[in-house]
Amino acid sequence: MSDEANRAAFLEIKGRMIENTGKLKQVQNQMRNKEGEKKRAYLTLEELRLLPDNTNTYKSIGRTFVLEPKSALVNEQEQKYKDSEAAIAALQVLMLASLCLRPLCTHFLHQPPLLLRSCLLIVSFLLPFAKAIVDEMSTLHANGT
């Protein structure tokens, strides 16, 4: 392999690593947002459960408040809570996959040039599996298993 090919492989791996670092930060931000949504849904559920069943409850829609039965609001908050949990679980798997691949790439970047192409192949091979795992976990969670 020529020096030019090694350099190109090195720059490609380095670019992917920078791209993956950005995606990792994005996933971390999404996780933080979902944790906040989950906490709000939980706290709202706790407050709703304390109310008697005949209490008038209102749902905020923009600047308007609409009268809704308590049971509808409870169901909505429970669904938000479950959806947030599923999203957090999927994001955790995605983040775990990213964290596993990052040290691998960092390690290979400091190896002789012949291994750079191997690192690129490994990363290209493993990334679809991470997405498949996330999809499978989302499906399982949606089915209630």
Side-chain angles (χ1 to χ4, degrees), residues 16 31 66:
R16 283 190 184 191
M31 281 182 65
V66 179

Side-chain angles (χ1 to χ4, degrees), residues 117-136:
R117 184 73 62 195
S118 300
C119 178
L120 187 59
L121 289 172
I122 290 169
V123 169
S124 299
F125 180 75
L126 292 178
L127 284 178
F129 288 111
K131 183 177 181 342
I133 291 170
V134 169
D135 292 343
E136 182 67 23

